[in-house]
Amino acid sequence: MSVVGWDNSHGEFTIEDYYYFSKLRKFAEKEGVEIYEIKSFNKLGDYDVIVFNYPEKDFRSQEIAKIKRWLRMGKRIIFAAYYSNMDGVAERINKVLAKIEVPVKINNDVVMDPENNYEDILFPKGKYGEHTVVMPCSASVTAKDGILVNSFETAKCHPTGVENPAFGVRVNMEKGELIVLGTCVFWDNFAIEWEENKILALDLLKI
């Protein structure tokens, strides 16, 4: 059984918001995954999976040091942002990534796909292994390797024009695993049942 600590110490979207995340919690519980909202940062270390879903407050140096330590201990840590550096979230996460010396960056852009999308150019479809997912309102993520969710060749970033960008990456760090996603809403109540998003959401939370 996986036990997930969903951070709420940095102004994130709360897992307790029934309107937005009740489906994720319900689907997770059916798979034996328990999700707890955590308001005290230091208590996050008690959980197998740690989620920072749209953090709106900066991380202090000692908190970043703990994140690095948790990764070394074997935790899975997930950072999820949003398009166009909304509320400075992407920049805030990038500062953490730089300080823990991970060659990953969330870009100040939005991924658009005029052909492979879910009824809207800003709701582009992506590839998660053999699964098709929808990654709404997503920034692109740059990394040397470890692509977790990729776009279709028809996708392009605005305003940079970069083609076939990545939506998310996975980085192994000693015993742990770091996951960085360009969108934080692919697993909310509106999107989690689009295509095969539920599979991606539950795979991220299960260890």
Side-chain angles (χ1 to χ4, degrees):
M1 176 185 292
S2 295
V3 184
V4 178
W6 187 287
D7 188 50
N8 192 29
S9 67
H10 291 79
E12 293 92 344
F13 293 140
T14 170
I15 189 66
E16 299 293 341
D17 190 325
Y18 193 87
Y19 186 74
Y20 286 106
F21 289 107
S22 58
K23 289 183 180 180
L24 175 60
R25 171 165 269 171
K26 178 180 68 176
F27 293 146
E29 288 176 351
K30 287 183 177 179
E31 294 291 321
V33 178
E34 297 181 356
I35 308 176
Y36 297 95
E37 179 179 280
I38 307 301
K39 296 181 180 181
S40 172
F41 180 88
N42 292 332
K43 293 183 179 179
L44 290 169
D46 296 335
Y47 297 85
D48 305 314
V49 180
I50 301 168
V51 178
F52 299 101
N53 202 60
Y54 200 86
E56 294 189 66
K57 295 179 182 178
D58 290 336
F59 291 83
R60 298 184 302 234
S61 296
Q62 57 266 40
E63 291 176 331
I64 296 173
K66 286 186 177 180
I67 288 172
K68 192 170 186 178
R69 188 182 317 130
W70 291 335
L71 286 165
R72 289 174 176 169
M73 292 169 55
K75 308 292 184 181
R76 175 183 293 166
I77 296 181
I78 301 170
F79 283 99
Y82 207 43
Y83 73 108
S84 300
N85 191 33
M86 197 75 71
D87 292 324
V89 168
E91 181 180 1
R92 189 168 294 113
I93 294 173
N94 284 338
K95 288 179 181 178
V96 176
L97 300 178
K99 288 185 178 180
I100 63 176
E101 301 178 333
V102 177
V104 177
K105 181 183 179 182
I106 302 170
N107 300 307
N108 184 2
D109 60 13
V110 58
V111 182
M112 299 180 173
D113 195 325
E115 296 183 35
N116 293 288
N117 64 65
Y118 195 84
E119 301 179 351
D120 193 299
I121 194 172
L122 290 185
F123 297 168
K125 292 183 180 181
K127 296 172 284 186
Y128 167 57
E130 298 179 352
H131 305 288
T132 298
V133 295
V134 183
M135 304 298 280
C137 300
S138 182
S140 65
V141 182
T142 299
K144 293 182 179 179
D145 49 35
I147 303 302
L148 178 69
V149 184
N150 207 1
S151 64
F152 284 88
E153 294 180 357
T154 50
K156 183 181 292 187
C157 296
H158 178 78
T160 60
V162 173
E163 298 180 345
N164 196 203
F167 293 112
V169 301
R170 185 202 317 261
V171 180
N172 293 321
M173 296 188 64
E174 298 187 26
K175 296 180 181 180
E177 186 177 56
L178 176 69
I179 293 172
V180 180
L181 303 167
T183 177
C184 60
V185 295
F186 74 97
W187 50 8
D188 71 10
N189 281 359
F190 300 101
I192 195 168
E193 293 185 279
W194 293 351
E195 295 292 347
E196 296 176 284
N197 281 23
K198 182 169 71 171
I199 292 174
L200 171 61
L202 295 178
D203 282 355
L204 291 175
L205 299 180
K206 290 188 295 186
I207 290 185

